[in-house]
Amino acid sequence: MKEKNSKIHHSVWLVGGETAGHIMPLLAVAEELKHRHPQIRLTYIGDGQGREATLARQAGIHFVSIQNGKLRRYLTFGSILLNIRDSLLVLIGIVQSYRLIKSKKPDLIFSKGGPVALPVALAAAATHTPLITHESDVVMGISNRLIANFASTVLTSFPAAFYPTRFAHKIKWVGLPLRPEFCESRHTTHHGKPMVLITGGSQGAMAINEMIASILPDLLQSASVMHIVGPQSYKEFKAIKDGLPDEIADNYGVLDFTPDIAEYMREATVVVTRASSTIFELATLEKPMILIPLPSAANNHQLQNAELFVRYNAAILLNQENLTPSLLYETINSLLHDPKLRTELKKGTRKFNCCDSSAQVANLIVDIITQ
């Protein structure tokens, strides 16, 4: 990354929350900015309902919360009432954001999309504050489609050709900003058995968890398993581990959530996961992956993410609607015992390596605020 003037005194806001897929890329860019340009003042804007407040403060970033609301696409009497309520919350969030921007005068706002980003983006447009946004998925979310109208630049994880042509002049393909640990070369230690990492993202994936539970004793005969189950399923799977026979219990690890996911990914021989932004972390580490897209994902974006990875021979796709425990076991087991296929998948992942992404975004931010 090219060096900039080390005496920059500017303010940059990072906006996004709800899931790790929104939070971690923002923190990755923040880390790059803090390392290269420590004089830039960083502020994280979120709703304070997820992990973003804790993680931002742990990273030494000032955190501010605002109100926001979600759009429920299903139509019931209850959802209509909730949408009305949340529309009011969005209006409150816009007013809060407008007042904050007028008071603090940030030089640039970097949005990761999601519900909390929309009020801030609208306020940025009203105050003519520079705004850039980033889209992780091959299908733009509803918030980012709206935010893209006001943003000067739309950063994407996938090539520009896959996004709406009306934004083509704004799009810059940078990949997904990642923390440095995904790009560091470290020695991995395998203790005999290959390791299968199973993760449904920061919230877990109950459908995947249930299938794994039924095949776990068989899987543990030939592999060790690290299972990140999410907070809702942790007690259940901790009890499952405690009930396993001693000879295989030591092969099974269970966590609700971990900030050290890169270490487990690096150790893994095969990874079973959803098709959210995690796929870019895995691709950067060149990990063979089995993708089970979330069927209820907005605009079916996870399926389209997975299909694009399959097109480049970077993953195996299993549809949840047709998936059985036996098919999942057979797919995992065959990949574990097929080094040639694993090598082919590793080669396919190189198309999506994101080691330079955080630096690209940080450089763009600095270029804009120092013009």
Side-chain angles (χ1 to χ4, degrees), residues 123-238:
T127 55
H128 305 288
T129 302
L131 170 71
I132 63 176
T133 191
H134 183 277
E135 176 58 58
S136 296
D137 300 304
V138 71
V139 180
M140 294 182 73
I142 186 170
S143 294
N144 252 348
R145 288 201 303 274
L146 294 170
I147 292 168
N149 291 295
F150 310 114
S152 61
T153 305
V154 179
L155 306 175
T156 61
S157 293
F158 290 96
F162 294 100
Y163 297 94
T165 55
R166 69 180 183 277
F167 300 131
H169 64 291
K170 298 182 176 185
I171 289 177
K172 180 178 176 60
W173 177 26
V174 297
L176 183 75
L178 299 181
R179 291 167 289 160
E181 54 261 40
F182 290 100
C183 301
E184 295 168 357
S185 178
R186 300 182 188 178
H187 177 69
T188 57
T189 304
H190 292 289
H191 303 287
K193 293 182 182 294
M195 195 266 268
V196 179
L197 173 64
I198 300 156
T199 174
S202 60
Q203 302 302 310
M206 296 185 73
I208 296 176
N209 290 346
E210 290 171 4
M211 290 194 189
I212 292 297
S214 65
I215 64 174
L216 191 57
D218 291 331
L219 196 55
L220 291 171
Q221 297 296 332
S222 58
S224 64
V225 174
M226 175 53 65
H227 193 176
I228 302 174
V229 298
Q232 293 181 322
S233 299
Y234 179 71
K235 287 184 179 179
E236 175 189 351
F237 279 83
K238 181 63 168 62

Side-chain angles (χ1 to χ4, degrees), residues 57-87:
R57 288 168 180 148
Q58 287 175 350
I61 302 171
H62 179 58
F63 182 85
V64 177
S65 64
I66 64 165
Q67 295 289 340
N68 76 97
K70 299 179 181 179
L71 173 65
R72 292 156 186 84
R73 299 164 189 262
Y74 55 93
L75 288 179
T76 66
F77 180 72
S79 70
I80 292 171
L81 291 178
L82 288 171
N83 281 339
I84 292 171
R85 182 204 66 180
D86 282 16
S87 297

Side-chain angles (χ1 to χ4, degrees), residues 295-327:
S296 60
N299 299 312
N300 218 9
H301 70 263
Q302 287 202 13
L303 176 60
Q304 296 189 58
N305 289 349
E307 287 176 339
L308 191 54
F309 263 55
V310 170
R311 184 186 306 181
Y312 287 98
N313 199 30
I316 293 172
L317 167 62
L318 296 176
N319 284 297
Q320 183 174 305
E321 295 91 336
N322 306 320
L323 188 59
T324 63
S326 61
L327 176 57

Side-chain angles (χ1 to χ4, degrees), residues 18 25 89 101 131 217 228 323 364:
E18 191 174 24
L89 292 177
I101 291 172
L131 170 71
I228 302 174
L323 188 59
L364 175 65

Side-chain angles (χ1 to χ4, degrees), residues 1 4-14 29 33-34 36-42 105-110 128-132 152-153 361-371:
M1 175 179 174
K4 300 288 180 182
N5 184 347
S6 63
K7 296 183 178 181
I8 296 171
H9 296 278
H10 291 288
S11 171
V12 172
W13 287 8
L14 312 169
V29 173
L33 287 170
K34 289 176 70 174
R36 298 279 182 168
H37 309 283
Q39 290 78 16
I40 295 178
R41 298 187 304 275
L42 298 174
K105 296 180 171 57
D107 294 285
L108 179 139
I109 296 172
F110 174 37
H128 305 288
T129 302
L131 170 71
I132 63 176
S152 61
T153 305
V361 177
N363 240 5
L364 175 65
I365 289 171
V366 173
D367 284 341
I368 292 173
I369 66 179
T370 56
Q371 284 178 354

